[in-house]
Amino acid sequence: MIIKKTINSIQKLLEIEKVNLKKKVAFIPTMGALHDGHLSLIKSAKAKKQFIIVSIYVNPSQFGPNEDFIKYPRSLKSDLKKLKKSNVDLVFTPNSKDLSRYKYKNYNFKTLGLERKLCGSTRPYHFMGVAEIVLKFFTLLKPDIAYFGEKDYQQFIFIKKIVDQTNLKTKIMMGKTIREKNGLALSSRNKYLKPEEVIIAKNIFKILKETRILIKKNKKQLSILKEQKRKLIACGFSNVEYFQILTNDLKHAKSPYIKSRIFVAARIGSVRLIDNILI
Ligand code: AMP
C-alpha cells in the first residue's frame, strides 16, 4: 500500500500507474475514523478488481462554525492498518495548506436546491463544502468510479447530480448502509455516544422500519410521521431535526411512495445522527 501526502506526489504516481494499469481506478473519499461502513465500500471496489484509492481528510469547509470539526475523531495510525488489511492500493492523506494551493477550474452546476433540503436546513454550508472538496479530488485524481454510502444518501445524490453536469467522467456508485447488529448505522460519530445513549440511538432504525410498515399499510403520511417523531422523543432523543419522506431524487413524495425514502436526523444531546431507508 502506497501512502501519499501531497498533490504533487500523488499526481506523479498516478501518471505512471495509469499507463501501466489495466484496472479501473476507484476512489473512496473519507474523513477517517474508519469503520466497517467505509470498509464495505472498499470491498465493493475490490470485488470488481479495481485499483483503489482511499483519501483521509477531515474537510473543514463542510463543518459549520459551531460543529465538531475540532473534536472529530482522528485515528490515522489505526486507519492505515485497516486499509492495509483491506488491500487498498493507494492512500491519500492531504493537508489543507497543500489542497488550498491547488487551483482548479470552477465547475458550473445547478444544485437544484438539493443542498437546502434535509440536512441542509440546519447545515446550510455543508453540501457546498462537500462539493468543493469532492470536485477537487475528482479533478486531481480522475477516478473512473467513486463510491459513497447510502447512510449519507443526500450526499450521494447531491454529488451524483452535480457530477452529471460537469465534464468529469467519474461514475458515482452507492454502497449499502452497514449497521451494528442492533440496527444502528455505523458512523464515526457513534464514538461520541455513551453506552446508555447507544441504547437510545438504536431506536432510529427500529422506528424507521416501523414507519415503513405503517406507510405501506396506511398511507396517511402526515399523521404517521408526526406520531413516529413523537416516539423518537419518547425514546430519549432530545430533538428530531427532520423525519420526512422524499423521493429518491429528493423531491416531494406521494402515495404509494414508489422509489421513495424515509429520512431522519435526530440528536441525543450534542450528538447528531442521521439515517434513511427505502420504502
Ligand atoms: P465519512 O468518513 O463519514 O465522510 O464517510 C465516508 C464515506 O463512507 C461516505 O460515502 C459515507 O456515506 C460512507 N459511510 C459512512 N458510514 C457508512 C455506513 N454505515 N455504511 C455505508 N457507508 C458508510
Side-chain angles (χ1 to χ4, degrees):
M1 185 174 84
I2 304 167
I3 302 167
K4 291 289 175 195
K5 293 184 182 168
T6 65
I7 293 173
N8 201 1
S9 62
I10 195 165
Q11 281 194 311
K12 270 194 188 143
L13 177 96
L14 284 172
E15 258 169 44
I16 304 164
E17 288 286 339
K18 279 188 178 168
V19 176
N20 298 332
L21 272 178
K22 298 276 177 285
K23 291 179 177 179
K24 297 253 187 227
V25 174
F27 177 47
I28 298 153
T30 81
M31 299 205 296
L34 301 179
H35 49 67
D36 284 350
H38 299 111
L39 301 184
S40 77
L41 300 177
I42 295 170
K43 269 189 207 144
S44 303
K46 266 282 153 207
K48 295 194 175 125
K49 306 211 172 346
Q50 294 161 348
F51 179 87
I52 302 176
I53 310 176
V54 174
S55 65
I56 298 179
Y57 177 61
V58 185
N59 171 33
S61 68
Q62 69 190 66
F63 288 78
N66 298 315
E67 293 182 357
D68 55 345
F69 173 69
I70 302 287
K71 74 164 191 179
Y72 194 84
R74 287 159 172 90
S75 51
L76 185 61
K77 214 170 152 193
S78 81
D79 287 348
L80 292 176
K81 263 194 203 156
K82 289 178 189 170
L83 295 177
K84 196 164 179 198
K85 215 168 149 201
S86 304
N87 289 316
V88 164
D89 298 286
L90 176 56
V91 185
F92 186 36
T93 59
N95 63 58
S96 296
K97 204 170 159 198
D98 191 35
L99 282 173
S100 67
R101 268 202 296 265
Y102 178 74
K103 297 284 170 251
Y104 72 112
K105 116 178 193 269
N106 271 328
Y107 293 100
N108 244 332
F109 56 80
K110 292 197 175 72
T111 61
L112 313 165
L114 293 178
E115 83 287 14
R116 293 194 299 274
K117 299 188 179 190
L118 301 172
C119 291
S121 62
T122 48
R123 307 188 74 193
Y125 310 108
H126 175 70
F127 289 102
M128 293 312 279
V130 171
E132 183 193 318
I133 191 68
V134 168
L135 290 176
K136 195 175 260 200
F137 281 155
F138 284 6
T139 312
L140 267 169
L141 309 173
K142 298 185 180 57
D144 298 297
I145 304 124
Y147 289 86
F148 292 86
E150 180 188 14
K151 197 207 57 125
D152 302 282
Y153 185 84
Q154 186 177 10
Q155 170 175 272
F156 158 76
I157 205 77
F158 179 72
I159 297 291
K160 192 170 164 61
K161 297 281 179 198
I162 62 179
V163 169
D164 276 356
Q165 298 171 53
T166 68
N167 56 1
L168 291 164
K169 301 277 182 291
T170 307
K171 194 171 155 199
I172 311 298
M173 301 286 286
M174 185 175 85
K176 72 174 187 359
T177 301
I178 303 301
R179 301 176 181 281
E180 302 277 8
K181 276 205 189 83
N182 64 20
L184 177 63
L186 297 187
S187 162
S188 307
R189 288 190 169 97
N190 291 354
K191 288 203 168 78
Y192 300 148
L193 294 169
K194 299 186 190 104
E196 63 274 21
E197 292 174 331
V198 172
I199 295 168
I200 300 171
K202 68 183 187 196
N203 285 295
I204 282 206
F205 188 50
K206 191 173 146 229
I207 290 180
L208 276 175
K209 283 193 299 186
E210 202 179 280
T211 310
R212 175 165 61 190
I213 294 171
L214 290 170
I215 291 282
K216 279 185 175 172
K217 258 200 235 158
N218 181 314
K219 325 250 191 280
K220 278 190 195 137
Q221 192 194 142
L222 267 179
S223 57
I224 292 171
L225 294 180
K226 214 169 142 194
E227 173 58 16
Q228 297 300 86
K229 209 168 158 177
R230 200 195 55 74
K231 271 194 194 163
L232 280 169
I233 300 288
C235 288
F237 283 91
S238 34
N239 176 30
V240 180
E241 272 176 21
Y242 58 79
F243 196 88
Q244 222 177 316
I245 301 178
L246 291 176
T247 67
N248 284 350
D249 280 337
L250 304 193
K251 291 186 181 141
H252 178 70
K254 282 196 295 247
S255 172
Y257 304 110
I258 294 160
K259 294 188 180 165
S260 298
R261 290 173 176 267
I262 313 167
F263 294 90
V264 58
R267 284 180 184 272
I268 305 173
S270 62
V271 187
R272 184 175 179 277
L273 302 172
I274 60 169
D275 204 344
N276 71 91
I277 55 168
L278 189 66
I279 294 184

